[in-house]
Amino acid sequence: MSDSSLGILLIWIFVFAYSILGSIDFGAGFWSMVFAGRQGSTAADIANRYLSPTWKVTNVFLVLLVVAFVGFFPFAMPMLSSLLVVPVCLVLLLLALRSTFMVYSQMSAKYVAQLRIVSGVTGLLIPGLLITVLPVTLGGFVELREGHLQVLADKLLTSRTLYAHLGFGIASELFLSAVFLADYARESEDRQAYGIYRNIAMTIGPLTLLTGMLAAVAMNPEAQWIVERMKEQWIWFALSALFFVAGYSALWWKGRGGWTGVPRAAVVLVIIQYAMASFGYGSAHLPYLIYPHMTVEQGFTNHAMFVSLLAGYSVSTLVLVPVFIWFWLLFLKDKRYLKP
Amino acid sequence: MDHVQLARSLFGSSMAFHIIFATLGVGLPLMIIAAEVLFQLRKDSDYATMARRWTKGFAILLGVAIPSGTIVGVMLALLWPGFMKIVGQVISLPFQIEIWAFFLEALFMSIYVYAADRLSPWMRIVSVVFVAVGATGSAVLITDAHAWMNTPRGFTIADGKITNVHPWAAVFNPSFFNTALHVSLSGYMTGAFAIASIAAWKLLSRNREPRETAYHRKGLMLALVIGGVMSLATALNGHSTAQMLHQYEPEKLAAAEGLFETQAYAPLAIGGIVDKESREIKGAIEIPGALSFLAGNRFDTVVKGLNEFPVENWPPLFVHTLFNLMVMLGSLLIVISFGALFYRWRKKRPLPGWMLRVLVLTGPMSLIGIETGWIFSCSARQPWTIYHIQRTAEAATASQNLGTLFILFIGLYVMLMCITILVLWSYFKRNPVHAELTVKHMGHSGR
C-alpha cells in the first residue's frame, strides 16, 4: 500500500468514527429534547446520562479529524478551505451554541427546557450541514474562478442531490442514536425507555435505507461518475444491505430475561452496515479528494512527516486505549452509574 | 477591510475569546489539585468544598473552552490554508499530539466530575492531575506551533518548495521551551488570581457567618501563595523570553521597546508613543542601559534598532504599548500578592478592606495581561505569519465572504460571554457556600 493510500485509509477511519459517534451524540441531544417534558418517562434521562460524560470526548474526535486531515493532506487545504469556509463555520457556530447550552442546562434547573431546545435543534442541523460536504466534493457544484474553487451556492441549494443527502444524514443520525440508546436503556435495565427507543428504531430503520438509495439515485448529472464507480463496488453495498437486515431483525430477536430484541447485536450490526457502505463509497470516491480537481496523491504530505505522524498516532493510541476502556467501564457498564 | 484583514479579525477575535477560557482551563485544575491534596493532608473539609465548587465553575468554563477551542482549531485550517500547507509538511506533530492531550483532559474531566463518588480519594486526585496534565499539555503543544512560527526550523525552502523535513527539529525549535513555560506559568498564575479575586470579593461582603469567613480566608491564602509564586516565575521566565527575542527576532524586541538606533547601552523605554515618522519614542521614561542589560546581561550589549530593517518588514508600532501593559500588569501582580502575603505574615491579622479591594482586581488584571501578551506576540510577528518565511497575506484564504461570518461570530462571543457570566452567577447564588459548609458532606457528589 502506498503512503497516500494508508493516509486516506486512516482519514476514512476517523471520518467513520466521528460520523457514528457524532450521530449518536447529536441524536441523543435531539431525543433528550423530544422527551424532556414527558412526565413519568425516563427516555430523556437515559439520553442525558449518556451525553453528560461523553459529549466532550465526541467533540475531540471532530478536532482529531480536521487535524489529521491537515497533517496528511496539507496540499488540499487551499482548495478545500475556499469551498468549506462558510458551511463549516456555520457548523462551528451551531456546535458552540449546542455544547454551551448543554452545559448551561446542567447547571440551571429552571431553564432546562428552553436550553435543551437549543441543543436539540442544533443537534439536528449540524449533521445535516456536515453531510452537505459530500456532494460538494463530487464536482458539479464547484467552479474554478481566477484560480480558486468556489461553491455554486444557488445551484447546490436547489439540487435534489443536496436534499437527498440531507434526508439520509438526518435519518441515519436518528436511527443510529435510537438503536444505541435502546442498547443503553437495556444495559440500564429500563424497560420503558427501551420500548420507546426500540419503537423509534423500528420506524426509522427502513427510512435510512430508502433515503440512502435516494441519495445515490438523485445524484446530479455531473456526479454520475461516482454512481458508475459505486456500481463497480456493488459488493460493499450488498454486504451493507445484508448487515442492515440482520441488525434490524435483531430488534426482534429473543433476548435473555424476557426482553424482546437484542440491542447490542443491533448496534454492532448497524455499525458494520455503515462501515461497509461508507467503505464502498470511499473506494468509489478514490483517487479524488475533490473531483476532478484534486487527487489523494496531489494533496499528500512528504514521507518524513508521514512516518513521524504514524509513529505519533501509534504511541498515543497505546497510551489512550486503557483510558478509553476505563471510561467505557465507568459510564457504559457500571450499574451504579446506569441505575442511580 | 480586505479579506486578509477580515480573516485576521475573525481569527484574532476568536482567539481572544478562546484564550480567556483556555487560560482559566489551564490554571484552575492546578488550584483544584492543591485543594484536593490539602484536604487529604489536613483533613479539613473546607478544602474539599473548595475543590468541589471550583470544579463546578471549571466545568462551566470548560463548556465554553471546548467549543471555542474547536472553533479556533478548525478556523485555523480554513482561514489560513497557505499557512496550513506548510504546517502540514513541517509542524503537524504538535497539533496531532495535542489531540491526545485533549482526549486525556476530556476523558479524565468526565471521570473526575461524573464518577467522583465511585473513586477512592487518591484515584480522584490522580484523575484531576490528568485533567491538569491534559490542559497544560494542550497549551504547551499549541504554543509549540506558535513558537515555531517565531523561530521556524526543521526544513529548507526554495522557490516555495519545502524539502529536507525534520519534524522533530521543528518541534524542538529554539523558542519552544521558553515560550511554553511562559504560557503555562502565566496560566497557573491566572487561575490562582481568578480564585483570589472571588475570595477577596466574598470577604468584602457583609453578613457573613464566621465559618464562611474562615473558608474564604483559606481559599484566598492558597490562591495568593500559588499566584505569587507563579507570577514571580512568569517574570523570571519572561526575562529569558526577552533575551530570546534579542537573539532570534531582533525586530520584535526593537518594536516592543520602541528602539530605532542600533546601540550599546540601549535604554529601556517605559510608556510613551512610538512615532513612525520621526523615528523616535515620545513621552517615555527611559532607564539608561537597562535594555542592553535585559537583552544580554551586560550594559554594553548591542541591541538592534528598527532602522536596521526595511520599513515594510516592521511590526506595527503600537506593540510597544501592549508590551508595556503586559510587563506592568505582571509586575503589579507580584507586588500585590507578595505584599498581601507579607502583611499576613508580619501582622498576623486579617487583611484590611483596602487590600481586599485591590486583590479583587488581580483576576481581571491577569486576564488582561494574558490578552495583551498574546496580542503582542502575534502582532509583533507581523508582517510575517512564519517569521521570514511566509507573509500573512500569503497565508490567508481566498474566500471573499467573511464579513457576515465575522459579525455572526462576534455576536456569538458576546452572547456566550453574557450567558456564561449569568449562569456562573446564578449557579453560585442558588448554591451558596454556607449551605455546603453547614451540611458537611465529606464525599464528592457528581452533579
Side-chain angles (χ1 to χ4, degrees):
Chain A
M1 200 189 282
S2 70
D3 284 3
S4 61
S5 312
L6 193 55
I8 198 71
L9 183 69
L10 279 172
I11 295 294
W12 171 78
I13 291 172
F14 294 148
V15 171
F16 179 68
Y18 182 67
S19 57
I20 297 290
L21 288 171
S23 293
I24 294 173
D25 183 76
F26 293 121
F30 179 75
W31 297 124
S32 146
M33 174 191 81
V34 169
F35 297 115
R38 218 165 283 186
Q39 289 292 317
S41 165
T42 49
D45 299 338
I46 288 277
N48 281 325
R49 199 174 303 142
Y50 167 73
L51 270 180
S52 298
T54 55
W55 73 267
K56 297 188 200 87
V57 181
T58 307
N59 185 85
V60 182
F61 274 96
L62 172 64
V63 186
L64 166 68
L65 176 59
V66 175
V67 167
F69 190 86
V70 174
F72 286 119
F73 298 99
F75 294 101
M77 283 326 288
M79 206 173 265
L80 271 178
S81 85
S82 49
L83 291 183
L84 297 183
V85 76
V86 174
V88 174
C89 277
L90 287 178
V91 167
L92 291 174
L93 205 95
L94 294 173
L95 195 67
L97 281 178
R98 182 203 182 237
S99 313
T100 47
F101 275 64
M102 212 155 63
V103 174
Y104 298 152
S105 77
Q106 288 169 6
M107 296 291 167
S108 158
K110 202 166 147 196
Y111 297 104
V112 74
Q114 291 91 321
L115 293 167
R116 272 193 198 161
I117 289 177
V118 175
S119 63
V121 171
T122 48
L124 204 57
L125 291 173
I126 293 166
L129 264 172
L130 277 177
I131 207 160
T132 57
V133 172
L134 288 183
V136 171
T137 65
L138 294 178
F141 301 110
V142 178
E143 199 181 59
L144 208 52
R145 274 186 215 151
E146 296 156 22
H148 295 296
L149 282 187
Q150 296 217 307
V151 180
L152 304 168
D154 40 345
K155 192 175 172 195
L156 179 66
L157 288 174
T158 53
S159 76
R160 47 191 188 163
T161 314
L162 177 74
Y163 295 98
H165 273 84
L166 211 68
F168 175 64
I170 290 173
S172 298
E173 173 198 352
L174 296 179
F175 177 59
L176 275 165
S177 55
V179 175
F180 176 84
L181 288 173
D183 183 42
Y184 200 57
R186 169 75 182 79
E187 195 71 38
S188 315
E189 288 165 20
D190 182 335
R191 280 178 192 270
Q192 192 241 2
Y194 174 70
I196 290 177
Y197 287 120
R198 178 174 169 266
N199 273 329
I200 293 172
M202 291 189 312
T203 320
I204 302 179
L207 269 178
T208 61
L209 209 59
L210 203 71
T211 48
M213 286 199 275
L214 210 66
V217 174
M219 218 58 98
N220 62 320
E222 291 92 335
Q224 277 311 311
W225 67 275
I226 196 156
V227 181
E228 294 307 314
R229 295 281 189 88
M230 279 159 76
K231 282 180 190 156
E232 288 166 26
Q233 304 284 346
W234 66 273
I235 182 82
W236 296 109
F237 296 99
L239 280 173
S240 170
L242 217 63
F243 275 101
F244 169 75
V245 173
Y248 191 61
S249 74
L251 294 171
W252 282 273
W253 295 359
K254 218 180 167 107
R256 264 179 299 161
W259 292 69
T260 314
V262 183
R264 180 58 51 87
V267 170
V268 173
L269 291 167
V270 167
I271 289 176
I272 299 176
Q273 168 208 340
Y274 277 89
M276 296 291 157
S278 65
F279 193 81
Y281 178 86
S283 313
H285 208 295
L286 287 179
Y288 299 104
L289 285 174
I290 309 163
Y291 180 84
H293 303 284
M294 169 77 60
T295 66
V296 168
E297 195 58 47
Q298 287 164 341
F300 197 62
T301 190
N302 54 63
H303 185 71
M305 185 46 88
F306 177 68
V307 169
S308 56
L309 282 178
L310 278 191
Y313 278 108
S314 315
V315 172
S316 35
T317 307
L318 286 180
V319 172
L320 281 176
V321 162
V323 189
F324 271 105
I325 292 174
W326 193 35
F327 187 83
W328 182 71
L329 289 176
L330 280 173
F331 297 113
L332 288 110
K333 207 75 202 158
D334 191 341
K335 290 285 183 282
R336 284 175 296 173
Y337 182 73
L338 296 176
K339 293 166 73 178
Chain B
M1 278 194 274
D2 65 353
H3 72 281
V4 178
Q5 283 300 320
L6 266 173
R8 286 190 70 197
S9 311
L10 178 53
F11 192 69
S13 44
S14 300
M15 278 301 279
F17 179 76
H18 174 62
I19 56 174
I20 296 173
F21 298 92
T23 306
L24 290 169
V26 169
L28 286 178
L30 185 76
M31 295 301 292
I32 298 170
I33 295 175
E36 282 274 14
V37 170
L38 279 175
F39 169 56
Q40 292 306 325
L41 293 179
R42 295 198 183 160
K43 300 290 173 210
D44 178 346
S45 71
D46 278 7
Y47 288 108
T49 309
M50 276 175 216
R52 196 167 48 239
R53 290 175 70 81
W54 295 347
T55 304
K56 283 286 177 206
F58 176 48
I60 298 175
L61 295 174
L62 205 63
V64 187
I66 289 179
S68 64
T70 308
I71 289 177
V72 291
V74 179
M75 262 189 194
L76 185 66
L78 293 174
L79 294 179
W80 308 104
F83 170 59
M84 290 319 266
K85 197 166 132 182
I86 301 184
V87 164
Q89 297 174 72
V90 185
I91 188 83
S92 49
L93 276 180
F95 286 102
Q96 180 225 204
I97 305 170
E98 192 265 351
I99 294 294
W100 306 98
F102 195 178
F103 265 129
L104 216 59
E105 180 182 4
L107 289 164
F108 277 104
M109 183 61 190
S110 284
I111 290 173
Y112 181 67
V113 172
Y114 294 103
D117 45 352
R118 289 177 280 151
L119 299 178
S120 67
W122 287 106
M123 267 327 268
R124 218 170 55 218
I125 295 183
V126 168
S127 307
V128 71
V129 166
F130 274 111
V131 172
V133 167
T136 305
S138 297
V140 165
L141 288 156
I142 289 307
T143 305
D144 184 21
H146 172 80
W148 178 84
M149 291 158 77
N150 286 317
T151 51
R153 294 292 184 277
F155 63 104
T156 22
I157 188 162
D159 303 327
K161 267 193 122 46
I162 286 174
T163 47
N164 202 14
V165 174
H166 297 286
W168 290 103
V171 168
F172 295 106
N173 64 79
S175 60
F176 170 43
F177 285 110
N178 263 324
T179 317
L181 203 61
H182 200 61
V183 167
S184 316
L185 290 171
S186 57
Y188 297 143
M189 173 192 92
T190 307
F193 284 129
I195 298 286
S197 280
I198 296 167
W201 173 264
K202 289 285 179 188
L203 284 171
L204 279 170
S205 71
R206 282 173 230 283
N207 305 328
R208 267 175 294 109
E209 295 167 24
R211 287 267 302 122
E212 218 180 318
T213 307
Y215 169 86
H216 288 306
R217 278 200 189 128
K218 286 176 209 166
L220 181 62
M221 276 306 124
L222 177 59
L224 282 180
V225 170
I226 295 185
V229 170
M230 292 303 167
S231 56
L232 189 63
T234 306
L236 292 175
N237 155 267
H239 174 60
S240 38
T241 310
Q243 298 199 326
M244 206 183 59
L245 287 186
H246 168 66
Q247 193 180 348
Y248 294 105
E249 276 180 292
E251 56 267 60
K252 199 171 184 174
L253 184 66
E257 296 296 350
L259 186 76
F260 287 93
E261 288 293 327
T262 299
Q263 53 188 286
Y265 308 100
L268 186 72
I270 298 171
I273 306 248
V274 185
D275 187 32
K276 196 170 186 170
E277 296 308 313
S278 62
R279 300 203 171 196
E280 59 183 17
I281 187 161
K282 287 180 178 158
I285 306 162
E286 299 203 347
I287 307 172
L291 178 57
S292 281
F293 188 76
L294 205 70
N297 294 337
R298 290 170 62 92
F299 288 105
D300 59 359
T301 309
V302 176
V303 181
K304 276 191 182 166
L306 284 168
N307 289 342
E308 295 270 327
F309 308 96
V311 178
E312 72 265 22
N313 285 356
W314 283 10
L317 298 179
F318 65 80
V319 298
H320 171 65
T321 310
L322 290 171
F323 186 74
N324 272 183
L325 252 174
M326 172 184 78
V327 174
M328 191 188 73
L329 286 167
S331 315
L332 270 176
L333 284 168
I334 299 173
V335 173
I336 294 171
S337 53
F338 278 98
L341 286 171
F342 186 74
Y343 183 94
R344 196 73 186 106
W345 176 62
R346 289 299 294 179
K347 303 261 174 152
K348 309 237 180 298
R349 255 186 310 178
L351 298 176
W354 67 268
M355 215 175 235
L356 290 174
R357 271 182 211 101
V358 174
L359 285 172
V360 171
L361 298 176
T362 53
M365 279 166 66
S366 315
L367 278 173
I368 297 170
I370 295 278
E371 290 280 350
T372 48
W374 274 107
I375 301 171
F376 162 73
S377 188
C378 292
S379 309
R381 195 191 53 241
Q382 302 303 323
W384 307 100
T385 286
I386 307 170
Y387 181 66
H388 287 190
I389 302 282
Q390 185 179 51
R391 282 174 192 275
T392 304
E394 301 159 352
T397 177
S399 189
Q400 299 294 330
N401 31 18
L402 298 177
T404 324
L405 285 176
F406 179 55
I407 294 165
L408 276 174
F409 274 92
I410 292 290
L412 175 79
Y413 298 144
V414 170
M415 189 186 82
L416 288 185
M417 192 58 97
C418 295
I419 303 183
T420 306
I421 293 172
L422 212 68
V423 167
L424 279 168
W425 185 273
S426 76
Y427 178 83
F428 287 108
K429 206 172 172 66
R430 271 182 294 111
N431 302 280
V433 68
H434 61 77
E436 282 186 64
L437 293 174
T438 38
V439 193
K440 265 200 188 176
H441 34 190
M442 302 292 282
H444 277 232
S445 64
R447 293 185 44 173

